[in-house]
Amino acid sequence: MSKQQKKYTEASTRDKDNRIADLALNESIPAASVLFANEAMLKKIFLGSILIMLLVTWFAGFNVGFHSDDIELNNYGKANLAFYTSGGNDTSVMGKYFYMLRYYGNAYELIATTINKVTGLGDGIQEFNVRHIVCEFFGVLSVLFTGLVTRKLSKSWLAAIFASWLIFLTPSYMGHFFINTRDIPFSTGYIASIYFILNFLDELPAPTWKTTMAILLSFAFTINIRAGGLMLLFYLVVFMAYFLFTNGQLLAQCIQNAKDIGIKVTTAISGAIILAIVTWPFVLMDPKQLIEALGVVKKFPLKVRVNFEGESIDSFSVPPYYIPKYMLITIPIVVILCLIAGLVIYFMQRKKYNVKYGIIAVFAVVFPVAYAVGSNSALYTSWRHFLFIFPLMAAFGGIFLYDMQSRLQKPVYRMAFWLVFGALLVTPVLFCIKNNPYEYCYFNELAGGFKGGFYNYDTDYWEISVKNGLDWLMENEHLAQSKDTITVATNAFDFATYYIGRHYPSAKVKVIYAGIYSRNQQYWNYAVYNSLFIKSYYLENFFPPAQTIHSEKIDDLPVTAVIKDLARLDYKAIEAVQASNYKLADSLFTAHIATTKDHNPAIDPFIAVAKALINQNDEAISAANRALEYHFSNELDYSAQCALGDAYANKRQYSLSVKAFGEAASLMPGDGYSRQRVLEISRLMQGK
């Protein structure tokens, strides 16, 4: 913009504000209408809203806990910082420990780790709070850029205010501010990049160096969070081509200024790539690995179990509608309605809104999801990897609310609209207040609320509720003061080991890994279990276990259970089975169930074996069939089939016995017991 244009714009703005002030003196004009027409005032309200959000987020997100990924990323950040501070001599970041993480950038990690290093908090118990304060800042920054993009799309600060509050009051987005140090910074970089691209297009045919450098920095930051940020380079070129080839006059002007534009586009793209490379040690050692990193991120090589629609499936087998379905059931319904209505209104009112900007925004939402589905990318843990598309969606929601505020002239209609809107927001807001810091686990009414989501989908997939469970255990069972070593079992082993060692360094606590299904097979005094990776039917029927002494709850449903069992009759019974003392095992199993009321179906195979080998055949068959309903593992199914085989042999039902032992042999071909028993029973059948 030239100086002359700038002076004209400023003068026009002053004249507009003066006219608004004159209107305010006219009592026939509602005060609210005057306020909503004052763009300067609305801009201040928008910025004030962002400040309020930041303060609320810092307050609500303090000391919420962390997770095993957070621990690894923190170590990764330290290794990256060590590489640079040692002049490249410390190459631990290239080691096997970071085999997967090195394919991800470290822009956020360098910032957070450097702050911890400078403040001296990196070696204390506050280091994760610092990391999360930085993450929360980036989360609110994504809200700021959401507002700026909305302002660009609508030319209204009121729409920007509405969009910013819509995104902030969406628990499934805002809840990630507290803990998600990878997807939230990426989302911030993405929406910032879209904003600066729009500015660049708006400035054609003479884009400024200020905007060019903003694109360079936002591109570099996003790429250095996740290599998928490379799509932004593609966006810049494609969006420019779209803008120019749909505007002949602008194309002619750009051709005349082609050299200047070419230099700035080249600077933005090449500069972003170079900056991303030099601040990413793994790629710096071999720049070609940037493309390799893109492939690894797209095709995450590890299979992850996910609960989806009540079924346990792996991350390579999710249906194409996985992301849209998750968004549909975890975004508040009122927000979804606003997004859809805003999208329709935007493209219907072509004279009021810049349709080209709208098409760009829609493309930036749809393309990443379509590409992920089309390329069969691994998808897991809800839509957190696609949080970055939500700010653009929220922009349309803000435009809808702005349009309704403008369209409804009668105060009674406006009041009715805002009352309905506010009423629909009550449920998600109350969920946030009641369930802090677990906002990210929100499910809307389409899923049946959190209860419907809990039994059919992954909920606390960051396992941050484990931290509160461990704190409760250490403080209420006085484990920190125990003179004897206490064994704690958990399915969150990495986090529990780190957390207890860091926060309770003098406690005599030994942490072991034990899955919730196999917990009876290992010795422990206490156990802490999160609901992640537990199959839906088990959650509904057997979680939390009967020995639970405390639960961390979301909407009154247990997501982490603290268990106490000092007698451990179940473990002693399994030891007796393994020692071939079946009568003792049977009596111990009976006593365990009678005293604890705990009947984990995963111990049924052991009960069946003990019953079969003391000739309690009907009970053995019943226990074995119960176990085979759940298919916990091949090993347990093998034991259940062998118990069936022995029980049927005892009852002289030889054909059923041979069938059961045949099933056992197919489960564990290397074990000779089932084949030996088939031979023995075959001889009995021949003798018969």
Side-chain angles (χ1 to χ4, degrees), residues 490-504:
T490 183
N491 57 354
F493 175 76
D494 291 339
F495 172 77
T497 302
Y498 182 93
Y499 187 78
I500 291 176
R502 192 70 177 269
H503 289 257
Y504 303 93

Side-chain angles (χ1 to χ4, degrees), residues 14-26 34 37-38:
R14 284 195 301 272
D15 290 343
K16 182 179 179 181
D17 289 344
N18 289 334
R19 289 195 301 272
I20 291 168
D22 292 337
L23 284 172
L25 298 175
N26 186 345
V34 174
N38 189 334

Side-chain angles (χ1 to χ4, degrees), residues 108-280:
Y108 173 84
E109 306 309 327
L110 276 180
I111 294 170
T113 306
T114 300
I115 292 173
N116 265 324
K117 184 80 172 177
V118 171
T119 59
L121 296 172
D123 296 322
I125 62 174
Q126 297 300 329
E127 67 174 326
F128 287 98
N129 280 329
V130 172
R131 285 175 56 81
H132 294 167
I133 286 172
V134 177
C135 185
E136 288 151 10
F137 171 79
F138 276 106
V140 176
L141 195 60
S142 75
V143 178
L144 171 67
F145 277 105
T146 299
L148 294 177
V149 168
T150 307
R151 160 77 171 144
K152 199 78 177 173
L153 292 173
S154 65
K155 302 177 183 177
S156 166
W157 283 113
L158 182 58
I161 292 169
F162 289 147
S164 64
W165 280 107
L166 273 183
I167 194 171
F168 187 73
L169 295 176
T170 297
S172 50
Y173 184 83
M174 184 273 289
H176 286 270
F177 292 4
F178 304 148
I179 49 172
N180 192 342
T181 60
R182 185 156 298 278
D183 299 306
I184 287 300
F186 186 84
S187 180
T188 304
Y190 190 81
I191 187 63
S193 296
I194 296 298
Y195 173 70
F196 292 126
I197 288 175
L198 292 177
N199 278 354
F200 191 89
L201 297 176
D202 208 27
E203 292 171 358
L204 290 173
T208 64
W209 276 109
K210 179 182 177 180
T211 301
T212 301
M213 296 309 296
I215 289 176
L216 187 158
L217 293 173
S218 60
F219 279 16
F221 177 80
T222 312
I223 294 167
N224 204 350
I225 295 292
R226 190 176 279 133
L230 287 167
M231 65 182 146
L232 292 167
L233 312 182
F234 164 73
Y235 284 3
L236 178 59
V237 175
V238 169
F239 295 163
M240 273 190 62
Y242 167 62
F243 241 63
L244 296 180
F245 287 106
T246 55
N247 187 331
Q249 183 179 356
L250 180 62
L251 175 61
Q253 293 173 338
C254 287
I255 289 174
Q256 293 179 355
N257 198 29
K259 182 178 179 181
D260 179 66
I261 295 172
I263 290 173
K264 288 171 180 172
V265 170
T266 303
T267 299
I269 292 176
S270 60
I273 294 174
I274 292 170
L275 183 57
I277 288 173
V278 299
T279 54
W280 187 345

Side-chain angles (χ1 to χ4, degrees), residues 366-387:
V366 174
F367 174 76
V369 179
Y371 180 78
V373 172
S375 60
N376 295 317
S377 298
L379 302 173
Y380 55 96
T381 53
S382 190
W383 55 287
R384 71 174 181 88
H385 295 108
F386 291 86
L387 291 175

Side-chain angles (χ1 to χ4, degrees), residues 324-534:
K325 174 68 179 288
Y326 252 119
M327 296 184 77
L328 184 65
I329 61 176
T330 59
I331 297 172
I333 291 176
V334 63
V335 177
I336 293 174
L337 294 175
C338 288
L339 308 185
I340 296 171
L343 191 63
V344 172
I345 285 172
Y346 192 90
F347 286 100
M348 285 181 64
Q349 300 189 42
R350 293 172 174 267
K351 293 182 178 179
K352 184 175 182 180
Y353 301 116
N354 189 324
V355 175
K356 290 181 182 180
Y357 284 167
I359 290 173
I360 287 173
V362 170
F363 181 89
V365 169
V366 174
F367 174 76
V369 179
Y371 180 78
V373 172
S375 60
N376 295 317
S377 298
L379 302 173
Y380 55 96
T381 53
S382 190
W383 55 287
R384 71 174 181 88
H385 295 108
F386 291 86
L387 291 175
F388 64 91
I389 67 173
F390 187 63
L392 286 168
M393 297 170 67
F396 287 105
I399 289 170
F400 165 71
L401 295 176
Y402 159 66
D403 190 84
M404 293 303 293
Q405 175 66 27
S406 304
R407 189 186 299 267
L408 300 173
Q409 295 298 317
K410 291 187 176 181
V412 65
Y413 292 159
R414 280 187 179 178
M415 183 177 294
F417 173 78
W418 289 114
L419 283 174
V420 172
F421 176 77
L424 292 173
L425 266 181
V426 167
T427 299
V429 171
L430 288 181
F431 181 90
C432 292
I433 295 171
K434 178 182 177 182
N435 297 293
N436 174 259
Y438 309 125
E439 288 90 339
Y440 83 102
C441 299
Y442 174 81
F443 283 84
N444 66 28
E445 292 82 357
L446 296 177
F450 181 78
K451 183 176 182 179
F454 182 67
Y455 294 121
N456 294 290
Y457 301 92
D458 290 322
T459 52
D460 182 23
Y461 48 81
W462 286 120
E463 298 181 299
I464 60 169
S465 58
V466 173
K467 178 256 185 190
N468 287 341
L470 289 172
D471 283 336
W472 188 95
L473 172 62
M474 298 299 292
E475 293 165 10
N476 288 272
E477 291 295 306
H478 310 294
L479 298 197
Q481 291 79 42
S482 175
K483 295 180 180 179
D484 300 319
T485 299
I486 302 296
T487 301
V488 176
T490 183
N491 57 354
F493 175 76
D494 291 339
F495 172 77
T497 302
Y498 182 93
Y499 187 78
I500 291 176
R502 192 70 177 269
H503 289 257
Y504 303 93
S506 61
K508 292 184 177 181
V509 174
K510 177 184 178 183
V511 179
I512 66 168
Y513 176 83
I516 192 161
Y517 308 138
S518 60
R519 66 183 185 273
N520 308 91
Q521 302 173 47
Q522 291 178 266
Y523 183 78
W524 45 264
N525 312 111
Y526 296 89
V528 179
Y529 284 108
N530 183 263
S531 58
L532 183 64
F533 300 132
I534 299 178

Side-chain angles (χ1 to χ4, degrees), residues 583-627:
K583 285 187 177 181
L584 175 61
D586 183 58
S587 64
L588 288 171
F589 279 130
T590 302
H592 167 73
I593 293 171
T595 56
T596 66
K597 309 303 180 186
D598 174 52
H599 194 149
N600 175 17
I603 65 171
D604 278 328
F606 299 100
I607 293 174
V609 168
K611 294 285 188 184
L613 295 174
I614 60 174
N615 219 20
Q616 294 183 13
N617 301 308
D618 290 336
E619 293 91 336
I621 292 169
S622 177
N625 283 328
R626 279 199 309 270

